[in-house]
Amino acid sequence: DVKVTQSSRYLVKRTGEKVFLECVQDMDHENMFWYRQDPGLGLRLIYFSYDVKMKEKGDIPEGYSVSREKKERFSLILESASTNQTSMYLCASSSIFGQPQHFGDGTRLSIL
Amino acid sequence: AQTVTQSQPEMSVQEAETVTLSCTYDTSESNYYLFWYKQPPSRQMILVIRQEAYKQQNATENRFSVNFQKAAKSFSLKISDSQLGDTAMYFCAFMENSNSGYALNFGKGTSLLVTP
């Protein structure tokens, strides 16, 4: 089975801090994704990556950046955390077009 | 703009009964894929079922089946013999080969409660 592991289930940070969310997958998938999940809004794409060192903006990239130095690891970075970034963050990976994405357990991030 | 619409924010069904969750989508592509994901309170997003747009046959996975109407751009999920463990948030999702790579476009979700 594909395993997507997010480093933290819960995280509390302060406004202005730099925050790192880590995601690791063990199935050698080329594609990795970061989504943000808010009640009533579903999941929205923040960034995705289709190869090492490659990254593309999704629908809501403002205030975020990403890093993919190794194929199995995709990091989401909040450069200067703000309260409106309090949310659930989900990481996913997939292989070729049409194959389902596999998700991590999510990180519930609170910015105080 | 939202391209996947789930018109039922909340639904309830009794154990052993059948329930249908609605989903419509919008695309001009001919090659795409549709998915239903389940997210129980434990938060893990679990794939329920996958449909290939070029296949007319409706996908089925045990108690879960879809009614895929390509012309109407409709993709509903039917859960038969509902069980308490089916209580979850259900998301309809759509994948096309777009500027967002192979990302999924999600609906806003339907919260399903199965009661004894």
Side-chain angles (χ1 to χ4, degrees):
Chain A
D1 273 356
V2 177
K3 183 75 173 173
V4 178
T5 303
Q6 293 184 231
S7 52
S8 305
R9 291 268 290 177
Y10 299 93
L11 207 52
V12 180
K13 295 292 182 181
R14 296 216 172 267
T15 304
E17 279 192 72
K18 190 168 187 176
V19 181
F20 294 85
L21 303 183
E22 307 287 346
C23 176
V24 177
Q25 51 97 0
D26 67 357
M27 280 302 291
D28 202 37
H29 283 166
E30 288 78 15
N31 305 293
M32 295 189 75
F33 308 85
W34 276 105
Y35 294 92
R36 171 175 170 160
Q37 182 179 9
D38 299 288
L41 296 179
L43 280 74
R44 294 177 291 167
L45 180 67
I46 305 172
Y47 267 96
F48 69 99
S49 168
Y50 54 87
D51 201 352
V52 176
K53 297 192 185 294
M54 305 304 292
K55 58 186 178 183
E56 296 288 343
K57 293 179 180 179
D59 298 321
I60 52 165
E62 296 78 19
Y64 303 95
S65 63
V66 290
S67 172
R68 194 164 180 203
E69 295 297 317
K70 293 185 178 182
K71 192 174 186 179
E72 67 271 17
R73 186 179 297 271
F74 192 37
S75 303
L76 179 69
I77 303 156
L78 285 65
E79 297 291 343
S80 178
S82 63
T83 54
N84 62 11
Q85 292 178 309
T86 290
S87 187
M88 171 80 82
Y89 291 88
L90 290 166
C91 175
S93 73
S94 70
S95 56
I96 60 175
F97 176 55
Q99 292 303 306
Q101 291 182 11
H102 300 266
F103 286 82
D105 286 342
T107 296
R108 190 172 295 282
L109 175 65
S110 296
I111 307 295
L112 304 179
Chain B
Q2 183 65 268
T3 57
V4 180
T5 302
Q6 293 180 247
S7 57
Q8 306 146 316
E10 295 178 349
M11 295 191 73
S12 179
V13 64
Q14 282 195 310
E15 213 173 354
E17 297 294 309
T18 296
V19 63
T20 299
L21 281 57
S22 301
C23 174
T24 58
Y25 60 93
D26 187 29
T27 183
S28 56
E29 297 290 326
S30 58
N31 186 22
Y32 55 89
Y33 296 82
L34 294 157
F35 304 85
W36 279 98
Y37 280 88
K38 167 185 176 180
Q39 188 181 40
S42 64
R43 295 184 350 206
Q44 174 84 55
M45 289 281 278
I46 303 164
L47 177 69
V48 176
I49 205 162
R50 169 181 175 267
Q51 176 78 43
E52 299 161 351
Y54 58 86
K55 282 191 176 178
Q56 292 191 347
Q57 186 174 7
N58 290 324
T60 300
E61 286 289 338
N62 300 314
R63 298 182 295 107
F64 298 88
S65 61
V66 297
N67 183 4
F68 175 46
Q69 302 287 329
K70 191 171 183 178
K73 296 179 182 174
S74 170
F75 182 60
S76 59
L77 175 71
K78 185 171 85 171
I79 306 174
S80 304
D81 187 25
S82 297
Q83 300 175 0
L84 296 177
D86 295 333
T87 290
M89 190 72 128
Y90 286 82
F91 291 97
C92 177
F94 164 85
M95 178 190 288
E96 63 182 4
N97 196 354
S98 69
N99 292 334
S100 298
Y102 306 154
L104 289 168
N105 240 305
F106 285 88
K108 294 182 178 181
T110 296
S111 179
L112 177 67
L113 175 65
V114 181
T115 58

